[in-house]
Amino acid sequence: MNQPYTQPVDEQAPKNGGLALLALAISAFGIGTTEFVPVGLLASIASDLNIGITLAGLIISGYAIGVAVGAPILTALTNRMNRKTLLMALMVVFIGGNLVSALSTSFELLIAARFITAFAHGVFFSIGATIAVQLVPPHKKASAIALMFTGLTVATVTGVPLGTFIGQAFGWRATFFAVAALGIVSIIASFFLIPKDLKQSPPAKFSDMKKVLTNGRIMLGFLITALGYGGTFVAFTYLTPIMQDVTNISPSLISIVLLVYGIAVAIGNWAGGKFANEDPAKALFYMFIVHAAVMIVMSFMIPFKVAGLIAIVLMGLLAFMNVPGLQLYIVQLAEKYVPAAVDVASALNIAAFNIGIALGATIGGIVVDSIGLVHTPWVGGIMVIIAVILTAVSRRLEAN
């Protein structure tokens, strides 16, 4: 059994640990909003910039690629920086990127702005996860990660539907201005709530990244993350067109459906943290089985309004349930095989999450262009089935 990741921390959580986690959650809310809010704005952006809906989907997959590229490299480069200073600097990049997005007059500039904004996202979640686990007792590690990611899930509850509403009422550019304002709130929260004396991880080197990338057990974990998490995005990227064109939901109700979807996501994230505290690999195995079943059945449900809405909510419930377990499992594997590179492994797993998003969104675009929107869920389900198989393999390897 792996030793808990404590850096080192005794069983007593820091007195200000809860407030620090709150600050992390606030920043995660802003970042989560900017990542996912284009889902509700794709049609508006595509129309305004005179591009197709599939090309507009690159606004999401391009952002995910930016996270995947930036997370490991920038995490290694900024490893010696004070954690609090780094968190605040990341939000400055976040604000600037969203302002440029709001002012973009071409698709190319918008993609570039999204790509740069994604750098802040990648580093934030890679160091945020390792900060979160040192703020609580060891037996609450997954719950701490889940609490930090609550900001991300709350973004899907309120940020995405509110951003969609703002975009429908005042134009999609107004949404990005509003998200930039969230970055200012995040900086203030970090200044007052994040302690200055957070423990630094051992200095990371690019040689540590090489050790992580050449470790088969950890690479298997990254693959599980990309496929298990990314499967949802084959359908989620095109959720608004699915609701409008397949389920025939009125455009005026889209924000309400996204709100309900977000509530399901938040519940799933909380439950996933609880399930993964003791044995993340075991929890992931069963989560993925249910997730795959829901995605496959969803293709048969979405042509009908009531059944389609039920399927969308179920997809939301499972979409983020695996996140705490996936992040904790990689941290555990890194502790076991490359203990000097836990931050780097965490960053690479954030990259894996976003490679999964980019892969899912790209596959979704191919499915939409070739066989249609209705087929996106079951194709995503196949990705999750592969994650089930790989999780079983990983469990067996670690048991030996």
Side-chain angles (χ1 to χ4, degrees):
M1 192 72 180
N2 298 331
Q3 292 299 313
Y5 178 50
T6 56
Q7 287 196 359
V9 179
D10 45 45
E11 292 286 334
Q12 294 296 320
K15 292 181 179 179
N16 58 353
L19 291 177
L21 285 172
L22 176 61
L24 291 174
I26 291 171
S27 296
F29 172 78
I31 290 172
T33 299
T34 201
E35 178 173 24
F36 296 128
V37 76
V39 169
L41 301 173
L42 278 189
S44 299
I45 294 173
S47 175
D48 187 51
L49 299 180
N50 196 29
I51 57 176
I53 194 72
T54 303
L55 184 60
L58 292 177
I59 297 169
I60 296 169
S61 57
Y63 182 96
I65 292 170
V67 177
V69 171
I73 296 174
L74 294 179
T75 297
L77 288 174
T78 58
N79 189 265
R80 294 179 183 274
M81 285 183 66
N82 176 274
R83 301 291 89 176
K84 178 173 181 174
T85 301
L86 177 57
L87 287 173
M88 295 179 68
L90 292 173
M91 297 315 297
V92 171
V93 174
F94 171 87
I95 293 168
N98 278 288
L99 288 176
V100 174
S101 294
L103 297 170
S104 296
T105 55
S106 69
F107 176 70
E108 292 78 11
L109 181 58
L110 178 58
I111 283 289
R114 294 278 292 167
F115 192 78
I116 293 171
T117 307
F119 290 167
H121 178 132
V123 181
F124 172 82
F125 280 107
S126 63
I127 67 170
T130 56
I131 290 172
V133 296
Q134 63 171 295
L135 295 171
V136 297
H139 66 280
K140 293 184 177 180
K141 298 189 301 294
S143 291
I145 294 174
L147 181 57
M148 182 194 74
F149 275 95
T150 294
L152 194 61
T153 57
V154 170
T156 66
V157 177
T158 57
V160 173
L162 181 59
T164 301
F165 173 78
I166 291 172
Q168 290 173 341
F170 304 104
W172 63 269
R173 298 175 191 280
T175 299
F176 284 105
F177 279 122
V179 173
L182 288 176
I184 297 174
V185 175
S186 299
I187 286 181
I188 295 172
S190 295
F191 180 80
F192 286 105
L193 301 180
I194 297 289
K196 295 179 180 179
D197 57 347
L198 288 169
K199 293 180 176 66
Q200 295 286 124
S201 299
K205 304 175 183 177
F206 283 100
S207 59
D208 293 329
M209 190 181 300
K210 181 180 178 181
K211 290 177 183 177
V212 172
L213 291 174
T214 54
N215 185 286
R217 304 286 181 90
I218 298 177
M219 289 301 295
L220 178 58
F222 293 151
L223 189 55
I224 292 168
T225 293
L227 294 173
Y229 181 72
T232 298
F233 287 83
V234 178
F236 178 70
T237 302
Y238 300 96
L239 186 57
T240 297
I242 286 172
M243 288 190 287
Q244 290 180 349
D245 300 336
V246 180
T247 315
N248 293 316
I249 296 174
S250 170
S252 62
L253 298 177
I254 296 296
S255 295
I256 296 175
V257 177
L258 288 174
L259 175 62
V260 176
Y261 176 91
I263 292 171
V265 166
I267 293 171
N269 179 72
W270 171 82
K274 293 289 185 181
F275 295 154
N277 271 325
E278 296 299 326
D279 187 344
K282 180 180 179 181
L284 288 169
F285 178 74
Y286 290 107
M287 287 179 202
F288 286 147
I289 290 175
V290 178
H291 191 180
V294 167
M295 294 294 290
I296 291 170
V297 173
M298 184 176 173
S299 283
F300 299 96
M301 297 174 70
I302 53 176
F304 309 97
K305 282 189 178 179
V306 175
L309 289 171
I310 292 172
I312 290 169
V313 172
L314 289 175
M315 182 178 77
L317 189 66
L318 275 299
F320 278 67
M321 187 177 284
N322 53 47
V323 170
L326 287 167
Q327 195 70 4
L328 177 58
Y329 191 46
I330 288 297
V331 168
Q332 289 182 343
L333 290 173
E335 287 178 321
K336 184 176 180 180
Y337 297 111
V338 283
V342 175
D343 270 3
V344 173
S346 179
L348 287 168
N349 201 45
I350 297 300
F353 277 116
N354 285 275
I355 288 171
I357 293 173
L359 180 63
T362 300
I363 292 174
I366 294 171
V367 171
V368 170
D369 286 342
S370 58
I371 56 178
L373 285 164
V374 72
H375 296 283
T376 53
W378 72 259
V379 174
I382 291 176
M383 287 178 62
V384 182
I385 287 173
I386 298 173
V388 172
I389 297 169
L390 296 180
T391 303
V393 172
S394 183
R395 290 182 68 197
R396 182 176 292 274
L397 289 172
E398 297 309 312
N400 294 333

